[in-house]
Amino acid sequence: MGIFHSQGKQVTDSIQAKPFSAKKGFASLIVLLALFTWAFYPEIIRIITRSKLILNNVHIFLVPFAIAMFILVKKNTLRQCDTHGSAAGFLLIFLGCFCYAVAAWPFSFGYARDLAMVPVLAGILLLCFGRKVFFKLIPVFLFVFLAIPIGPRLTATLVIRPETYTLMASQNIMELLPNVTTELSGLDLTIYRSGTSNIVALGRTSRAFQLYFVYALIALFVFFTSNRTICKYIAAVIMTVPVIFLCNLARFLMLSAFTAYFNTSALSPISGTIAALLSICLAYLMFILIFNLKINLFIEDEPLCETGE
Amino acid sequence: MLKMSKHLHNISLILSALLLVFTATMLRGTIAKLSDYFTKQTVPARKPLKTFVDSVESIEKNFQWKDQAVTQEIETDDCFLIKFESQDQSVAKHGGYIHAAYYSQPGSKVPHTPDVCYRQAGSIIKEIQKIPINLSPVANNPETIDVTLVRLEQKEAEMVILFCFIAEGQIANSRTKVRLITSKPGNSRTYFCKVEASCSYPKGSAPKPYIETAGTLMERLVPKLLDEYLPTEEMLK
């Protein structure tokens, strides 16, 4: 009886202590986030400036909303978590600052410097709210990771293969349309129709492989806003990349169709924006469909009849 | 135990705050000072690469390319691009181009690789892969290096390009590896060199003999550059 009584008292104590630890956690979080912003402001400003210039990075402005929405969706689960901070957070912050320093000297890699902010943020969260909240908020770090733009030279190297395949696939599909002929030369897909010729998205950087981080962000958001089984994790790992490629192909095909049938100017932002928005909607629908499909990998045996043989 | 973990947590909070303050106030300055102090100096090539065309005996040079606009674009004037037909029968059949550019200014940006450049110029990439080439095929102790093979389709022909970088005496086949080698502390002087060998051939032909020809060119070009033109290890100290 005494044991039960003391256990009950401990539970009551922990419930009473929780609001205090959460308050302390929030206070620490605000201070540390302010210091984080001070420490990494050149990187933050660089990311914002770059995202204003390049359409491919425009999703960066949506990431804070995605994070806020994600936390809102997970509000009840997070409330139930123990919010005692973990000292291990300091190690993550140290690791992030160390990587930042090494990526500045002796090795000078801007992207690695930007990425170093992710472990620092993760460390701050772990330090303020502890392991349980940290693990529940892992998708938030993935959102932040996707918000960090890759430099133009690295992008130029990384997009070669997907861009080449997209251009070739688009050329083959466009050739199937009536009265349309195409010519592919490097990055230029020229479309000939009714005596006119237009190049699709002429002059745009990585024109045939854009918005891949936006599609990935949608995939992450759709996936992590519900609790998933291990089968869904496997399905997500297998399906996400092909769907990203497919949505990009759809975007470029729409752009090609606008160019062919409406003679839109290569420099016109309207056709590019419409194609981008439609492909984003397509990505959202496809990820909802894929992640909510019922996958029955294991078929349960029917229970044996009690009176059976 | 609980008290101890609370203490540890409080200490971690204070240390984290201090670390972030240090990052904000002193880290960048310290890095800038270190970077200035340890900046690697420029080192001239043993022989200018421009003179390469005069010293290769085994090739019949058709012309030596030198275009001011292009040398400006590739940010160095110590370079060559030579079209040739070799007296060696294995190479003579197809001919080809060899190109190398030497960079030694601290902070020189590593140029784009052919897979990036040729696409901008209208080529379509057919294949990119790493292939091994033997630097001393006749020696008893052959040394093999990996170079990058790029196969392209152009308007009227196809082309194979083999390329690699030589950075502070080491072979690298990506821009990132060059940056890692040239940034690594150790040497007080730095350089890197981009080396390419290419062959054009009619559309639809099997690429294998042309890849072999470009490979033969690389096998001769890289050791020659290392042995006679590029700075030695001692020159980098």
Side-chain angles (χ1 to χ4, degrees):
Chain A
M1 188 70 188
I3 296 166
F4 286 119
H5 179 75
S6 76
Q7 275 180 348
K9 191 172 178 295
Q10 271 180 10
V11 171
T12 323
D13 285 351
S14 95
I15 291 166
Q16 277 174 350
K18 205 172 166 183
F20 173 73
S21 95
K23 266 185 194 170
K24 190 188 167 193
F26 276 113
S28 316
L29 181 73
I30 289 165
V31 172
L32 289 177
L33 278 183
L35 290 175
F36 168 85
T37 314
W38 183 27
F40 293 98
Y41 78 90
E43 281 69 34
I44 295 167
I45 287 173
R46 194 153 53 94
I47 287 171
I48 293 170
T49 319
R50 197 183 287 173
S51 56
K52 273 198 277 186
L53 295 173
I54 304 167
L55 173 76
N56 211 15
N57 299 328
V58 79
H59 67 287
I60 290 165
F61 296 109
L62 290 177
V63 167
F65 296 105
I67 292 172
M69 233 164 123
F70 179 81
I71 292 171
L72 209 68
V73 170
K74 292 277 170 187
K75 193 173 64 182
N76 290 334
T77 324
L78 291 171
R79 265 189 189 153
Q80 288 161 8
C81 293
D82 177 21
T83 52
H84 282 99
S86 164
F90 170 70
L91 295 178
L92 269 180
I93 296 174
F94 182 81
L95 178 78
C97 290
F98 178 76
C99 290
Y100 176 83
V102 171
W105 185 85
F107 307 106
S108 181
F109 288 93
Y111 183 55
R113 271 201 301 278
D114 294 347
L115 281 184
M117 291 191 293
V118 181
V120 176
L121 274 177
I124 289 174
L125 215 70
L126 182 60
L127 192 61
C128 296
F129 295 114
R131 268 183 301 174
K132 283 188 179 166
V133 174
F134 174 81
F135 285 119
K136 294 274 178 212
L137 290 181
I138 279 178
V140 168
F141 311 128
L142 295 175
F143 292 167
V144 176
F145 167 76
L146 290 178
I148 295 171
I150 304 177
R153 285 190 178 226
L154 188 58
T155 309
T157 311
L158 291 178
V159 301
I160 289 173
R161 280 192 178 93
E163 204 175 21
T164 305
Y165 294 138
T166 307
L167 283 164
M168 283 175 168
S170 302
Q171 186 191 21
N172 291 333
I173 295 169
M174 289 303 289
E175 287 276 354
L176 297 174
L177 297 175
N179 304 325
V180 173
T181 49
T182 60
E183 187 192 342
L184 184 60
S185 168
L187 297 169
D188 296 340
L189 178 63
T190 313
I191 296 179
Y192 301 94
R193 187 180 165 270
S194 314
T196 57
S197 69
N198 285 302
I199 296 174
V200 182
L202 178 70
R204 291 191 195 156
T205 48
S206 52
R207 64 190 84 162
F209 196 64
Q210 284 189 337
L211 304 176
Y212 40 94
F213 272 4
V214 181
Y215 306 133
L217 186 73
I218 294 168
L220 277 179
F221 189 81
V222 173
F223 187 78
F224 284 108
T225 40
S226 297
N227 291 326
R228 307 290 180 182
T229 59
I230 191 80
C231 292
K232 292 284 159 115
Y233 273 91
I234 296 167
V237 169
I238 297 168
M239 295 303 293
T240 302
V241 174
V243 172
I244 289 173
F245 277 73
L246 200 69
C247 292
N248 175 63
L249 176 64
R251 181 194 63 83
F252 195 72
L253 273 174
M254 281 186 265
L255 204 53
S256 307
F258 291 146
T259 312
Y261 289 98
F262 301 107
N263 283 328
T264 49
S265 153
L267 297 172
S268 157
I270 298 167
S271 53
T273 311
I274 293 171
L277 287 174
L278 288 175
S279 73
I280 286 169
C281 293
L282 177 72
Y284 186 65
L285 289 174
M286 284 188 81
F287 285 124
I288 283 186
L289 196 74
I290 289 166
F291 297 152
N292 293 306
L293 272 180
K294 287 223 178 290
I295 305 168
N296 293 321
L297 288 182
F298 307 102
I299 300 163
E300 284 180 28
D301 290 335
E302 282 184 24
L304 288 170
C305 184
E306 279 178 18
T307 55
E309 293 166 60
Chain B
M1 191 69 182
L2 191 73
K3 234 179 182 180
M4 219 173 108
S5 106
K6 222 174 180 181
H7 275 304
L8 189 66
H9 181 243
N10 287 340
I11 291 168
S12 304
L13 268 175
I14 294 165
L15 283 177
S16 301
L18 288 175
L19 187 60
L20 288 172
V21 170
F22 172 75
T23 307
T25 53
M26 291 166 76
L27 187 64
R28 254 173 239 112
T30 313
I31 285 168
K33 275 183 191 161
L34 277 170
S35 181
D36 282 348
Y37 187 76
F38 287 105
T39 298
K40 290 183 180 179
Q41 303 301 310
T42 178
V43 57
R46 271 184 280 174
K47 283 196 258 178
L49 264 62
K50 284 185 264 188
T51 62
F52 189 86
V53 73
D54 304 324
S55 65
V56 184
E57 292 153 12
S58 62
I59 62 170
E60 282 174 15
K61 6 171 203 184
N62 271 3
F63 67 87
Q64 187 184 5
W65 159 88
K66 192 166 177 1
D67 183 338
Q68 202 62 41
V70 178
T71 54
Q72 243 172 25
E73 198 176 302
I74 63 172
E75 292 170 11
T76 180
D77 60 354
D78 195 7
C79 59
F80 66 80
L81 174 73
I82 304 166
K83 183 187 179 186
F84 67 92
E85 287 157 4
S86 173
Q87 290 168 344
D88 181 335
Q89 282 305 306
S90 65
V91 179
K93 269 192 282 182
H94 308 120
Y97 287 87
I98 49 173
H99 164 60
Y102 181 79
Y103 299 82
S104 180
Q105 292 300 324
S108 284
K109 282 197 169 173
V110 186
H112 275 308
T113 46
D115 45 355
V116 175
C117 298
Y118 278 83
R119 286 174 79 231
Q120 308 287 348
S123 301
I124 299 165
I125 305 277
K126 290 282 180 191
E127 183 185 356
I128 305 174
Q129 61 161 314
K130 304 262 182 292
I131 60 162
I133 64 159
N134 198 345
L135 287 190
S136 47
V138 280
N140 291 330
N141 188 17
E143 191 192 340
T144 306
I145 60 162
D146 276 344
V147 296
T148 307
L149 159 73
V150 183
R151 196 156 64 79
L152 311 154
E153 186 186 304
Q154 294 174 318
K155 257 194 173 163
E156 281 151 15
E158 290 189 26
M159 190 180 194
V160 284
I161 304 171
L162 296 185
F163 75 90
C164 70
F165 291 96
I166 304 171
E168 297 185 10
Q170 297 177 50
I171 305 293
N173 45 35
S174 72
R175 295 179 63 250
T176 307
K177 199 168 176 198
V178 175
R179 290 174 71 188
L180 285 170
I181 293 170
T182 53
S183 308
K184 204 167 66 180
N187 293 327
S188 61
R189 292 157 196 272
T190 189
Y191 80 89
F192 63 85
C193 177
K194 184 180 166 191
V195 188
E196 284 177 29
S198 60
C199 266
S200 290
Y201 57 96
K203 266 188 178 177
S205 308
K208 203 181 167 197
Y210 305 94
I211 295 171
E212 281 168 6
T213 303
T216 311
L217 293 175
M218 282 297 262
E219 281 168 6
R220 294 176 190 180
L221 181 58
V222 173
K224 191 151 191 79
L225 285 171
L226 280 168
D227 292 344
E228 294 176 26
Y229 286 84
L230 300 176
T232 58
E233 262 182 50
E234 286 69 41
M235 290 167 78
L236 298 174
K237 298 284 175 214

